[in-house]
Amino acid sequence: MEYILPTIAQEAINRASDEDIAYLYHMADSLKDKQFHTSSELMNALMEIYSYAFSLLNNVYVSSLFTQMMDFILVAVPDYSLRKNEFQKNMAFIGNMLSVILKAILKKDSKVLKKTIKYLIHTISKKTQSYIQRIIDEEKTTFHPMPFYWYYEKEALYQNVIIDIFMDIHNGVYLKHKELPSLEQLAKKQNVSLRTSRKAIEVLNHYGIVKTVNGIGSYVNYDAFKKDDFLKNPEVKQNLKQFIDALSALQLCIKGFGPAFIKKISEDDLSKLIDVMEHQKRKIITPMVELLFQRNTCLSEIYRVLNKQLVWFMYLNYFYSFDNKENEYYAYYQLLIEHLKAHHMKKVYELLCEMMETSIHFVKQIYLS
């Protein structure tokens, strides 16, 4: 949360209307008059404020991610684990930080807000880790960290099958005009029912990506669908929105930890990254994004879920000509590699964010058309 929450809060405040600011201020100000007796009471009160702030971004992944992280924090901080004097000290500290946050909200000063939230979470994190270590030492027990998992994944099971098929088409596993695996094989591969795999193939037929011939099977056939009909499909529109939300959430995460993480890339990892990006057939920034998210197990799980949604961009590859956009993108891509080779890490970060922003803007234009 220390890596990404301050940046997300900053973005939310930047987008907030005067009415939103007034309501956020009221929610935060009301905490000063409340008497909290347990850590859970305090956490739930703070969660309400953050949840409202993040809803201003209108991004389902940002909102659900915050809920997941808060659930893990609440599990890790049971009420009985905080001694009374320590709880009071923490409350005093949070109260002081809250005053600064209130002023920043009123002034719509997103920079001060970001800095204060980062300091608040960093301090609480250190205090919590210190306290947990003390418990471990006193109890003479072994500490086994609980792995983070993002258990809220919005899409239905059949959409998981669709995503898997799309990825295989995109990666050349299923070639154009070639037959797909049977419904039974797809169901076994994804560990779903036959009914679910059948639903996935029906939807792909409806999209025009797959064609099923009774008695023969299904094959990849994305030439048959007209672009205008394609974009009128409400499910297609929703899937493009999922792509926009997922890429926007990834961009917000990178804005949070990117500057610090990019500087810490080792010489060995940098050399491998440059080699991969220079020789990969598809000129994509995925290897670099993956490298950044792999520095933290929680972030790795966040990336896994968000990355699945980026597959929806493949729709556009079938129905749009990207000649101009591809030339612009490849120019950015080559420049990114040059900055990596020259160790211009600040430029690398700026260019990475710019490339993601360009993609988001481009798909938004299609989505709104």
Side-chain angles (χ1 to χ4, degrees):
M1 290 184 74
E2 181 186 342
Y3 293 141
I4 62 179
L5 184 60
T7 300
I8 294 175
Q10 181 185 43
E11 186 70 20
I13 291 297
N14 286 338
R15 297 191 191 184
S17 66
D18 291 341
E19 292 77 15
D20 293 325
I21 292 294
Y23 187 64
L24 275 170
Y25 179 84
H26 169 72
M27 293 177 76
D29 188 51
S30 65
L31 292 185
K32 295 191 299 186
D33 301 323
K34 292 182 179 179
Q35 295 293 321
F36 296 105
H37 303 289
T38 67
S39 56
S40 292
E41 289 178 6
L42 173 61
M43 286 290 196
N44 286 324
L46 291 172
M47 189 171 178
E48 287 182 19
I49 296 174
Y50 281 122
S51 294
Y52 179 79
F54 294 160
S55 71
L56 302 177
L57 297 175
N58 189 30
N59 187 314
V60 64
Y61 298 113
V62 170
S63 297
S64 62
L65 171 59
F66 174 70
T67 303
Q68 305 300 270
M69 290 192 295
M70 286 300 293
D71 281 353
F72 269 73
I73 289 175
L74 287 171
V75 167
V77 188
D79 294 331
Y80 61 79
S81 70
L82 289 171
R83 296 166 183 162
K84 188 174 181 180
N85 62 331
E86 288 182 283
F87 182 68
Q88 289 174 340
K89 287 179 182 178
N90 287 338
M91 280 300 300
F93 169 72
I94 290 172
N96 292 333
M97 292 295 100
L98 190 59
S99 296
V100 179
I101 289 172
L102 283 170
K103 291 177 182 177
I105 290 175
L106 269 183
K107 294 180 179 179
K108 216 172 179 182
D109 191 336
S110 59
K111 289 185 178 179
V112 170
L113 182 73
K114 178 180 177 180
K115 187 176 180 180
T116 306
I117 291 175
K118 185 174 183 178
Y119 178 70
L120 173 63
I121 298 175
H122 177 77
T123 304
I124 292 175
S125 175
K126 293 297 183 184
K127 286 176 178 287
T128 304
Q129 291 178 41
S130 175
Y131 189 79
I132 290 174
Q133 189 59 52
R134 221 159 58 238
I135 293 175
I136 292 172
D137 293 341
E138 290 174 3
E139 299 294 330
K140 295 181 180 179
T141 186
T142 303
F143 177 60
H144 298 289
M146 181 180 181
F148 176 82
Y149 58 92
W150 196 351
Y151 54 83
Y152 177 82
E153 296 189 36
K154 189 179 179 183
E155 69 270 13
L157 286 175
Y158 78 88
Q159 283 187 305
N160 280 321
V161 180
I162 290 172
I163 289 174
D164 186 64
I165 292 173
F166 262 139
M167 288 300 294
D168 282 341
I169 292 173
H170 197 46
N171 293 327
V173 177
Y174 306 142
L175 301 176
K176 194 174 181 180
H177 304 313
K178 297 298 182 180
E179 189 175 355
L180 292 171
S182 67
L183 295 178
E184 290 81 3
Q185 290 171 322
L186 289 172
K188 184 177 181 180
K189 181 180 180 182
Q190 280 291 319
N191 193 27
V192 296
S193 67
L194 188 62
R195 180 180 177 182
T196 298
S197 64
R198 183 177 290 110
K199 169 68 174 176
I201 293 299
E202 287 174 359
V203 172
L204 286 168
N205 270 271
H206 183 56
Y207 288 171
I209 303 299
V210 165
K211 185 173 182 180
T212 299
V213 179
N214 291 334
I216 297 178
S218 300
Y219 59 93
V220 180
N221 182 48
Y222 49 78
D223 289 336
F225 214 63
K226 294 181 180 179
K227 182 174 70 176
D228 292 341
D229 293 336
F230 171 76
L231 282 177
K232 288 176 183 176
N233 187 316
E235 281 193 59
V236 169
K237 285 279 197 179
Q238 180 57 36
N239 293 335
L240 290 180
K241 177 62 165 63
Q242 286 181 222
F243 167 85
I244 294 168
D245 282 354
L247 190 56
S248 297
L250 278 175
Q251 184 193 41
L252 281 171
C253 289
I254 289 176
K255 283 183 176 180
F257 63 72
F261 280 20
I262 286 174
K263 290 178 183 177
K264 295 178 181 178
I265 297 177
S266 68
E267 287 291 336
D268 186 47
D269 284 340
L270 184 60
S271 177
K272 291 177 182 177
L273 176 64
I274 293 170
D275 184 60
V276 169
M277 293 185 69
E278 281 191 313
H279 294 96
Q280 62 183 352
K281 291 182 180 179
R282 293 168 52 226
K283 303 303 182 183
I284 53 177
I285 58 176
T286 302
M288 182 168 184
V289 175
E290 286 181 347
L291 178 63
L292 294 176
F293 276 86
Q294 286 172 359
R295 293 186 66 88
N296 175 283
T297 54
C298 177
L299 292 175
S300 294
E301 177 62 15
I302 292 169
Y303 177 77
R304 182 191 69 80
V305 174
L306 292 177
N307 187 52
K308 284 178 62 177
Q309 307 309 320
L310 300 185
V311 73
W312 298 120
F313 184 72
M314 288 172 56
Y315 285 144
L316 306 184
N317 289 329
Y318 302 139
F319 303 111
Y320 283 86
S321 173
F322 292 126
D323 291 341
N324 292 332
K325 286 293 176 183
E326 283 182 353
N327 290 336
E328 180 184 344
Y329 178 84
Y330 289 146
Y332 277 141
Y333 188 84
Q334 289 303 126
L335 189 58
L336 181 67
I337 293 177
E338 289 174 17
H339 286 317
L340 284 169
K341 289 180 176 179
H343 291 206
H344 294 158
M345 296 321 223
K346 184 178 179 181
K347 292 288 186 182
V348 167
Y349 163 72
E350 292 172 352
L351 194 55
L352 187 63
C353 289
E354 187 173 350
M355 291 172 75
M356 296 177 84
E357 185 62 38
T358 300
S359 296
I360 292 168
H361 179 70
F362 176 63
V363 179
K364 274 185 178 179
Q365 287 181 312
I366 296 173
Y367 172 74
L368 295 172
S369 64

